[in-house]
Amino acid sequence: MADEAEAESTKLLLTAATGDGGGGEGSQKMASPPVEPAGHEGFVQPSSYLRRPRGQSRAMPPAPPKLETAVDRDQRRGLQSIRAFLKVRTSYDVLPLSFRLIVFDTSLLVKKSLAILNQNGIVSAPLWDSKTSTFAGLLTTSDYINVIQYYCLHPEEMSRIDQFRLNSLRGTWVEEDKSLFFEAKLMEYLAIEKDINVTPIETVSIHPLRPLYEACRRMLESRARRIPLVDIDDETRRAMVVSVVTQYRILKFVAVNVVETQLLRKPLRHLNLGTYKNLETARMETPVLEVIQQLVHQNISSVPILNSDGVVVNVFEAVDVIALIKGSVYEELNLSVGEALQKRSDDFPGIYTCSIDDRLDTIFDTIRKSRVHRFVVIDEGNRLVGMLTLSDILEYVLLEGEGDDHKQA
């Protein structure tokens, strides 16, 4: 019986497939749609395997991997060599054989700190809390700029700025200064960064024997352009400030000691390096206070100065503010940019420029030979194209292709 049922089922399938529904041999009558026999639910004709379901697109074959050119390979090898160098050298290695270190006590008056900065030609100094014998942070130009911004919003307080000490910049307190007046003014002063809506700059430090690579990563993470080296005294077990390492000193150390920087032959136009959109600019007649607002709101350290044709004629830097407020003469903040730039010291290193077609090896060569903190990217007509900072270069060197360091150079 089972054989007869199977034969009958086969007969029904053949009849449906050939259209022989009783029309006789050679009949041209169209066959009706096949009826799916019982026990064969889900029957699929072989041709169905050749058709894609509706709405389903054909999968594109994966793109072939991009071939690495000789320039790409050299660029990768150069970056790997720099990172390997930074991982085996320490911050101690960067320090010169002899150097001068100026540390400010947190009880020092803001007015006196400005005078010392100008007399010694420096723009930052580590802070030391003599009450607790501890490292208290790093005083930078940004601290003074934040104070200027605050008092621009509250001009009635301008005459009292000289009464503040450096401890109020970092939120610490000097016991002998505690009076009703100072307590009230301190509470107002500590609201400076919040009042002008700027992100507080994180203060970081590192032990001088830690790898230089780690110091660089900490600077990038904290947006700092310099990092203090803090050691522990073997006898007292207390912290002591050894020195301060800057981005410039690190990159110059690399340029002098890593010959593989010569392999970085890709031009800037082919690198994700620098800023080329939404650039802040000013004119020679722009008020200094307006430029200071640009520095704070955009969290930048310089503003290119252009003429009416868009040609770069100078750069106003955050450090130029120190020269204007020395001796607490804050009235000079009302000067124009052109007037303010005339007050620069005679040893000002100048403005460094490059083109979008300059290569990173030539950039490192310039850093090796000159004291430079940024490059103004210009075209053939000296018109502004972009800005390239040492922070940009350091970030590129540390992060670009870092995941490929395991590859053979």
Side-chain angles (χ1 to χ4, degrees):
M1 294 295 292
D3 293 340
E4 292 178 1
E6 184 177 356
E8 184 64 23
S9 176
T10 303
K11 180 179 179 182
L12 288 172
L13 289 175
L14 291 174
T15 302
T18 58
D20 189 7
E25 183 176 331
S27 173
Q28 299 297 318
K29 182 178 179 180
M30 295 296 294
S32 59
V35 178
E36 193 170 66
H40 289 75
E41 291 83 354
F43 179 82
V44 180
Q45 297 185 23
S47 61
S48 299
Y49 292 106
L50 304 178
R51 295 194 297 267
R52 295 190 305 274
R54 290 184 178 180
Q56 180 176 337
S57 60
R58 184 187 300 272
M60 296 297 294
K66 184 179 179 182
L67 295 178
E68 187 179 47
T69 65
V71 173
D72 292 334
R73 182 170 59 255
D74 286 347
Q75 191 84 5
R76 175 171 56 81
R77 290 175 54 197
L79 294 176
Q80 289 176 342
S81 297
I82 294 174
R83 287 192 284 265
F85 175 79
L86 294 174
K87 290 177 181 179
V88 299
R89 306 305 290 266
T90 69
S91 298
Y92 258 138
D93 299 330
V94 181
L95 301 180
L97 294 177
S98 65
F99 60 90
R100 175 182 57 182
L101 177 64
I102 296 177
V103 180
F104 287 163
D105 193 283
T106 54
S107 62
L108 185 68
L109 290 171
V110 171
K111 178 179 180 179
K112 290 186 177 180
S113 70
L114 282 168
I116 295 174
L117 291 179
N118 278 283
Q119 290 171 3
N120 292 275
I122 58 178
V123 296
S124 67
L127 297 176
W128 183 260
D129 188 341
S130 58
K131 295 293 182 180
T132 60
S133 296
T134 56
F135 169 67
L138 186 68
L139 182 70
T140 68
T141 307
S142 298
D143 293 300
Y144 296 106
I145 289 179
N146 288 345
V147 173
I148 293 171
Q149 281 286 95
Y150 176 79
Y151 282 105
C152 285
L153 297 176
H154 307 282
E156 68 278 5
E157 304 293 340
M158 181 69 76
S159 61
R160 298 176 178 176
I161 187 173
D162 293 339
Q163 300 171 6
F164 291 98
R165 300 179 184 274
L166 295 180
N167 49 37
S168 57
L169 294 174
R170 295 298 177 187
T172 56
W173 188 255
V174 179
E175 192 66 29
E176 59 265 29
D177 284 343
K178 203 172 216 180
S179 64
L180 291 178
F181 170 76
F182 278 101
E183 186 172 3
K185 299 318 295 177
L186 180 67
M187 293 304 102
E188 181 178 345
Y189 192 85
L190 291 182
I192 287 178
E193 290 175 335
K194 182 178 180 181
D195 193 83
I196 64 177
N197 194 29
V198 296
T199 303
I201 296 177
E202 182 182 353
T203 299
V204 297
S205 64
I206 193 170
H207 192 278
L209 292 182
R210 296 299 302 167
L212 195 53
Y213 179 85
E214 184 178 331
C216 295
R217 292 301 295 255
R218 288 194 184 184
M219 282 193 286
L220 289 182
E221 292 168 1
S222 63
R223 301 177 295 110
R225 298 179 181 91
R226 51 184 57 82
I227 185 169
L229 307 183
V230 180
D231 202 350
I232 302 297
D233 186 272
D234 293 335
E235 296 181 359
T236 64
R237 305 308 300 169
R238 290 184 175 181
M240 60 178 182
V241 182
V242 176
S243 187
V244 176
V245 174
T246 64
Q247 291 178 341
Y248 164 74
R249 186 170 292 279
I250 292 174
L251 290 175
K252 181 174 182 177
F253 186 61
V254 169
V256 170
N257 294 282
V258 183
V259 68
E260 285 83 0
T261 55
Q262 299 176 8
L263 297 176
L264 306 178
R265 295 183 287 111
K266 278 190 174 182
L268 293 180
R269 68 167 60 250
H270 295 157
L271 302 176
N272 184 23
L273 184 57
T275 303
Y276 301 92
K277 295 181 179 180
N278 302 320
L279 295 170
E280 293 289 329
T281 62
R283 301 286 185 87
M284 279 295 196
E285 61 270 18
T286 303
V288 168
L289 285 176
E290 184 176 321
V291 178
I292 290 177
Q293 291 176 358
Q294 292 175 285
L295 295 174
V296 173
H297 294 159
Q298 300 301 323
N299 191 27
I300 54 180
S301 60
S302 64
V303 174
I305 309 302
L306 313 180
N307 65 13
S308 57
D309 297 323
V311 174
V312 178
V313 294
N314 216 316
V315 174
F316 187 90
E317 304 176 355
V319 296
D320 290 321
V321 175
I322 300 297
L324 294 179
I325 60 177
K326 63 181 179 181
S328 299
V329 184
Y330 294 93
E331 289 76 11
E332 292 193 353
L333 294 172
N334 297 317
L335 298 176
S336 68
V337 168
E339 294 171 327
L341 293 180
Q342 293 178 2
K343 297 182 176 296
R344 279 175 169 165
S345 61
D346 295 334
D347 60 351
F348 178 70
I351 304 300
Y352 289 84
T353 63
C354 66
S355 75
I356 198 68
D357 293 313
D358 279 330
R359 306 180 317 195
L360 200 53
D361 61 341
T362 62
I363 298 293
F364 267 104
D365 191 51
T366 302
I367 294 174
R368 180 176 59 85
K369 297 176 180 178
S370 308
R371 186 173 184 83
V372 54
H373 297 288
R374 65 189 54 81
F375 293 86
V376 183
V377 186
I378 57 176
D379 62 13
E380 295 179 353
N382 292 330
R383 288 180 292 271
L384 180 66
V385 174
M387 294 292 291
L388 177 64
T389 66
L390 298 189
S391 297
D392 296 328
I393 298 173
L394 189 61
E395 181 176 3
Y396 175 80
V397 166
L398 291 184
L399 304 183
E400 180 65 24
E402 184 183 22
D404 297 332
D405 281 358
H406 64 281
K407 295 181 179 180
Q408 294 293 328

